[in-house]
Amino acid sequence: MNLETILYLVAIGLAIFFSYLAIHVRSILYAVIFLVGMYATSTWALIQLGSWFLALVYLFIGAGGVLVLIIFASMLTRPAIDIPPSRSLSVLAFLVSLFFASLIFYLLFRNQTGLTTVFSSNYIEISKILFDNYAFAIIIIAIAALAVYYGAIYLASEEK
Amino acid sequence: MIDVNLAILATIPLFIIGFYGVLARRHFIRIIISFEIALTAVILAIGAFATSKGMLGEVIGIIIIAVVAMEVALGLAIAIQLDRLFQTVDIYELRKLKEE
């Protein structure tokens, strides 16, 4: 096992640790703080994989946009008591999660054997693919994003 | 060189934690946070595929990140509206209100 792999596994391990804490702490604001840790370590993992452009986009949108939204929403809603789940519900939820994760990753791995990383990010290539081959998808997503953000503003506004 | 199979396998616990949170927690914002964690595992898996399958993986990853941001924005707007209408964001309480 080389150094790159070890660093990647350390990053993923930290991301798992922070996400576990984000799920289990009682306060939503503390959960947000641990989510920052999860974003940072996931970005590190993506950089270790060589996908630095994806890592930067993820960090900017995740830590820059999504986190701010979550903080604002937790400040605008009253602090509800987040009661931990019962033991039976926890076990059931864990088993269902395990089943779905196994199913998804089994389907992913069915046709994948022995792949290794071969190159790193190239933003020029990414933009060429994005705006040449996937231009229609980008336009659809842009229109959907516009509709969603207007919808979110409408939902969150007090006067209707 | 990172083995892609190992890179994808390492994301499974992250996905399980996120999915577990979606199923087991009661606070609406916490559920959105859990959803975000599960989708992070997916983005990491796609990042791993991107290293072997070319830039297409990264392009799909960017599209997924955009969709996740939309989902969070809409989810949090719904959370604010729920709090305004029912004075709670606890999904068990909301279910009780529905039954009443």
Side-chain angles (χ1 to χ4, degrees), chain B residues 55-74:
Chain B
M55 297 302 160
L56 183 61
E58 294 203 38
V59 169
I60 293 170
I62 290 165
I63 291 172
I64 288 178
I65 290 170
V67 173
V68 169
M70 285 191 265
E71 162 258 315
V72 170
L74 203 57

PDB file of all heavy atoms in Angstrom, chain B residues 55-74:
ATOM      1  N   MET B  55     -12.615  12.280 -17.914  1.00  0.00           N
ATOM      2  CA  MET B  55     -13.232  13.489 -17.371  1.00  0.00           C
ATOM      3  C   MET B  55     -14.742  13.381 -17.221  1.00  0.00           C
ATOM      4  O   MET B  55     -15.352  14.192 -16.537  1.00  0.00           O
ATOM      5  CB  MET B  55     -12.913  14.678 -18.281  1.00  0.00           C
ATOM      6  CG  MET B  55     -11.453  15.001 -18.360  1.00  0.00           C
ATOM      7  SD  MET B  55     -10.797  15.343 -16.737  1.00  0.00           S
ATOM      8  CE  MET B  55      -9.077  15.095 -17.008  1.00  0.00           C
ATOM      9  N   LEU B  56     -15.318  12.392 -17.886  1.00  0.00           N
ATOM     10  CA  LEU B  56     -16.779  12.242 -17.818  1.00  0.00           C
ATOM     11  C   LEU B  56     -17.247  12.100 -16.370  1.00  0.00           C
ATOM     12  O   LEU B  56     -18.273  12.665 -15.977  1.00  0.00           O
ATOM     13  CB  LEU B  56     -17.198  11.024 -18.650  1.00  0.00           C
ATOM     14  CG  LEU B  56     -18.683  10.756 -18.748  1.00  0.00           C
ATOM     15  CD1 LEU B  56     -19.373  11.936 -19.404  1.00  0.00           C
ATOM     16  CD2 LEU B  56     -18.947   9.499 -19.549  1.00  0.00           C
ATOM     17  N   GLY B  57     -16.483  11.363 -15.568  1.00  0.00           N
ATOM     18  CA  GLY B  57     -16.824  11.184 -14.151  1.00  0.00           C
ATOM     19  C   GLY B  57     -16.883  12.518 -13.434  1.00  0.00           C
ATOM     20  O   GLY B  57     -17.802  12.776 -12.650  1.00  0.00           O
ATOM     21  N   GLU B  58     -15.914  13.379 -13.692  1.00  0.00           N
ATOM     22  CA  GLU B  58     -15.903  14.693 -13.032  1.00  0.00           C
ATOM     23  C   GLU B  58     -17.077  15.556 -13.485  1.00  0.00           C
ATOM     24  O   GLU B  58     -17.662  16.290 -12.710  1.00  0.00           O
ATOM     25  CB  GLU B  58     -14.583  15.409 -13.306  1.00  0.00           C
ATOM     26  CG  GLU B  58     -13.423  14.687 -12.661  1.00  0.00           C
ATOM     27  CD  GLU B  58     -12.246  15.584 -12.416  1.00  0.00           C
ATOM     28  OE1 GLU B  58     -12.458  16.747 -12.057  1.00  0.00           O
ATOM     29  OE2 GLU B  58     -11.115  15.113 -12.571  1.00  0.00           O
ATOM     30  N   VAL B  59     -17.405  15.456 -14.774  1.00  0.00           N
ATOM     31  CA  VAL B  59     -18.547  16.222 -15.305  1.00  0.00           C
ATOM     32  C   VAL B  59     -19.829  15.783 -14.595  1.00  0.00           C
ATOM     33  O   VAL B  59     -20.625  16.619 -14.135  1.00  0.00           O
ATOM     34  CB  VAL B  59     -18.661  16.013 -16.833  1.00  0.00           C
ATOM     35  CG1 VAL B  59     -19.969  16.553 -17.358  1.00  0.00           C
ATOM     36  CG2 VAL B  59     -17.493  16.677 -17.529  1.00  0.00           C
ATOM     37  N   ILE B  60     -20.012  14.463 -14.479  1.00  0.00           N
ATOM     38  CA  ILE B  60     -21.208  13.952 -13.785  1.00  0.00           C
ATOM     39  C   ILE B  60     -21.179  14.377 -12.324  1.00  0.00           C
ATOM     40  O   ILE B  60     -22.205  14.752 -11.746  1.00  0.00           O
ATOM     41  CB  ILE B  60     -21.298  12.421 -13.946  1.00  0.00           C
ATOM     42  CG1 ILE B  60     -21.561  12.080 -15.412  1.00  0.00           C
ATOM     43  CG2 ILE B  60     -22.412  11.838 -13.074  1.00  0.00           C
ATOM     44  CD1 ILE B  60     -21.449  10.626 -15.749  1.00  0.00           C
ATOM     45  N   GLY B  61     -19.981  14.366 -11.719  1.00  0.00           N
ATOM     46  CA  GLY B  61     -19.839  14.813 -10.331  1.00  0.00           C
ATOM     47  C   GLY B  61     -20.279  16.258 -10.160  1.00  0.00           C
ATOM     48  O   GLY B  61     -20.991  16.591  -9.201  1.00  0.00           O
ATOM     49  N   ILE B  62     -19.874  17.125 -11.092  1.00  0.00           N
ATOM     50  CA  ILE B  62     -20.251  18.549 -11.007  1.00  0.00           C
ATOM     51  C   ILE B  62     -21.765  18.700 -11.138  1.00  0.00           C
ATOM     52  O   ILE B  62     -22.393  19.484 -10.405  1.00  0.00           O
ATOM     53  CB  ILE B  62     -19.503  19.355 -12.100  1.00  0.00           C
ATOM     54  CG1 ILE B  62     -18.014  19.421 -11.754  1.00  0.00           C
ATOM     55  CG2 ILE B  62     -20.059  20.766 -12.229  1.00  0.00           C
ATOM     56  CD1 ILE B  62     -17.133  19.850 -12.882  1.00  0.00           C
ATOM     57  N   ILE B  63     -22.354  17.946 -12.057  1.00  0.00           N
ATOM     58  CA  ILE B  63     -23.817  18.007 -12.225  1.00  0.00           C
ATOM     59  C   ILE B  63     -24.511  17.553 -10.932  1.00  0.00           C
ATOM     60  O   ILE B  63     -25.477  18.182 -10.470  1.00  0.00           O
ATOM     61  CB  ILE B  63     -24.255  17.152 -13.438  1.00  0.00           C
ATOM     62  CG1 ILE B  63     -23.769  17.819 -14.735  1.00  0.00           C
ATOM     63  CG2 ILE B  63     -25.772  16.982 -13.484  1.00  0.00           C
ATOM     64  CD1 ILE B  63     -23.963  16.987 -15.977  1.00  0.00           C
ATOM     65  N   ILE B  64     -23.998  16.486 -10.314  1.00  0.00           N
ATOM     66  CA  ILE B  64     -24.602  15.995  -9.060  1.00  0.00           C
ATOM     67  C   ILE B  64     -24.478  17.046  -7.956  1.00  0.00           C
ATOM     68  O   ILE B  64     -25.418  17.264  -7.191  1.00  0.00           O
ATOM     69  CB  ILE B  64     -23.955  14.655  -8.634  1.00  0.00           C
ATOM     70  CG1 ILE B  64     -24.416  13.544  -9.584  1.00  0.00           C
ATOM     71  CG2 ILE B  64     -24.329  14.283  -7.198  1.00  0.00           C
ATOM     72  CD1 ILE B  64     -23.834  12.211  -9.303  1.00  0.00           C
ATOM     73  N   ILE B  65     -23.326  17.702  -7.867  1.00  0.00           N
ATOM     74  CA  ILE B  65     -23.143  18.738  -6.838  1.00  0.00           C
ATOM     75  C   ILE B  65     -24.179  19.852  -7.027  1.00  0.00           C
ATOM     76  O   ILE B  65     -24.773  20.346  -6.056  1.00  0.00           O
ATOM     77  CB  ILE B  65     -21.704  19.302  -6.876  1.00  0.00           C
ATOM     78  CG1 ILE B  65     -20.721  18.225  -6.376  1.00  0.00           C
ATOM     79  CG2 ILE B  65     -21.583  20.536  -6.000  1.00  0.00           C
ATOM     80  CD1 ILE B  65     -19.268  18.574  -6.595  1.00  0.00           C
ATOM     81  N   ALA B  66     -24.422  20.241  -8.287  1.00  0.00           N
ATOM     82  CA  ALA B  66     -25.431  21.286  -8.563  1.00  0.00           C
ATOM     83  C   ALA B  66     -26.814  20.822  -8.115  1.00  0.00           C
ATOM     84  O   ALA B  66     -27.569  21.594  -7.496  1.00  0.00           O
ATOM     85  CB  ALA B  66     -25.432  21.619 -10.051  1.00  0.00           C
ATOM     86  N   VAL B  67     -27.134  19.568  -8.396  1.00  0.00           N
ATOM     87  CA  VAL B  67     -28.457  19.039  -8.010  1.00  0.00           C
ATOM     88  C   VAL B  67     -28.585  18.966  -6.485  1.00  0.00           C
ATOM     89  O   VAL B  67     -29.641  19.286  -5.923  1.00  0.00           O
ATOM     90  CB  VAL B  67     -28.698  17.658  -8.673  1.00  0.00           C
ATOM     91  CG1 VAL B  67     -29.970  17.022  -8.170  1.00  0.00           C
ATOM     92  CG2 VAL B  67     -28.764  17.808 -10.188  1.00  0.00           C
ATOM     93  N   VAL B  68     -27.484  18.580  -5.808  1.00  0.00           N
ATOM     94  CA  VAL B  68     -27.501  18.506  -4.334  1.00  0.00           C
ATOM     95  C   VAL B  68     -27.755  19.894  -3.739  1.00  0.00           C
ATOM     96  O   VAL B  68     -28.542  20.047  -2.797  1.00  0.00           O
ATOM     97  CB  VAL B  68     -26.165  17.923  -3.807  1.00  0.00           C
ATOM     98  CG1 VAL B  68     -26.044  18.087  -2.307  1.00  0.00           C
ATOM     99  CG2 VAL B  68     -26.057  16.456  -4.175  1.00  0.00           C
ATOM    100  N   ALA B  69     -27.098  20.905  -4.309  1.00  0.00           N
ATOM    101  CA  ALA B  69     -27.290  22.275  -3.803  1.00  0.00           C
ATOM    102  C   ALA B  69     -28.748  22.702  -3.952  1.00  0.00           C
ATOM    103  O   ALA B  69     -29.328  23.321  -3.051  1.00  0.00           O
ATOM    104  CB  ALA B  69     -26.368  23.235  -4.546  1.00  0.00           C
ATOM    105  N   MET B  70     -29.374  22.331  -5.085  1.00  0.00           N
ATOM    106  CA  MET B  70     -30.795  22.665  -5.296  1.00  0.00           C
ATOM    107  C   MET B  70     -31.667  21.971  -4.267  1.00  0.00           C
ATOM    108  O   MET B  70     -32.565  22.576  -3.681  1.00  0.00           O
ATOM    109  CB  MET B  70     -31.226  22.221  -6.696  1.00  0.00           C
ATOM    110  CG  MET B  70     -30.731  23.086  -7.799  1.00  0.00           C
ATOM    111  SD  MET B  70     -31.554  22.636  -9.319  1.00  0.00           S
ATOM    112  CE  MET B  70     -30.419  21.526 -10.038  1.00  0.00           C
ATOM    113  N   GLU B  71     -31.371  20.688  -4.052  1.00  0.00           N
ATOM    114  CA  GLU B  71     -32.180  19.898  -3.115  1.00  0.00           C
ATOM    115  C   GLU B  71     -32.097  20.479  -1.696  1.00  0.00           C
ATOM    116  O   GLU B  71     -33.107  20.587  -0.997  1.00  0.00           O
ATOM    117  CB  GLU B  71     -31.694  18.444  -3.177  1.00  0.00           C
ATOM    118  CG  GLU B  71     -32.064  17.559  -2.033  1.00  0.00           C
ATOM    119  CD  GLU B  71     -30.937  17.357  -1.067  1.00  0.00           C
ATOM    120  OE1 GLU B  71     -29.814  17.125  -1.518  1.00  0.00           O
ATOM    121  OE2 GLU B  71     -31.189  17.446   0.137  1.00  0.00           O
ATOM    122  N   VAL B  72     -30.888  20.888  -1.295  1.00  0.00           N
ATOM    123  CA  VAL B  72     -30.720  21.454   0.048  1.00  0.00           C
ATOM    124  C   VAL B  72     -31.473  22.774   0.168  1.00  0.00           C
ATOM    125  O   VAL B  72     -32.155  23.026   1.176  1.00  0.00           O
ATOM    126  CB  VAL B  72     -29.218  21.627   0.372  1.00  0.00           C
ATOM    127  CG1 VAL B  72     -29.030  22.433   1.644  1.00  0.00           C
ATOM    128  CG2 VAL B  72     -28.565  20.274   0.522  1.00  0.00           C
ATOM    129  N   ALA B  73     -31.389  23.617  -0.869  1.00  0.00           N
ATOM    130  CA  ALA B  73     -32.078  24.915  -0.827  1.00  0.00           C
ATOM    131  C   ALA B  73     -33.585  24.716  -0.664  1.00  0.00           C
ATOM    132  O   ALA B  73     -34.229  25.358   0.175  1.00  0.00           O
ATOM    133  CB  ALA B  73     -31.776  25.704  -2.094  1.00  0.00           C
ATOM    134  N   LEU B  74     -34.144  23.797  -1.444  1.00  0.00           N
ATOM    135  CA  LEU B  74     -35.584  23.547  -1.372  1.00  0.00           C
ATOM    136  C   LEU B  74     -35.966  22.920  -0.036  1.00  0.00           C
ATOM    137  O   LEU B  74     -36.957  23.314   0.595  1.00  0.00           O
ATOM    138  CB  LEU B  74     -35.990  22.631  -2.531  1.00  0.00           C
ATOM    139  CG  LEU B  74     -37.441  22.681  -2.961  1.00  0.00           C
ATOM    140  CD1 LEU B  74     -37.833  24.089  -3.355  1.00  0.00           C
ATOM    141  CD2 LEU B  74     -37.682  21.754  -4.128  1.00  0.00           C
TER     142      LEU B  74
END
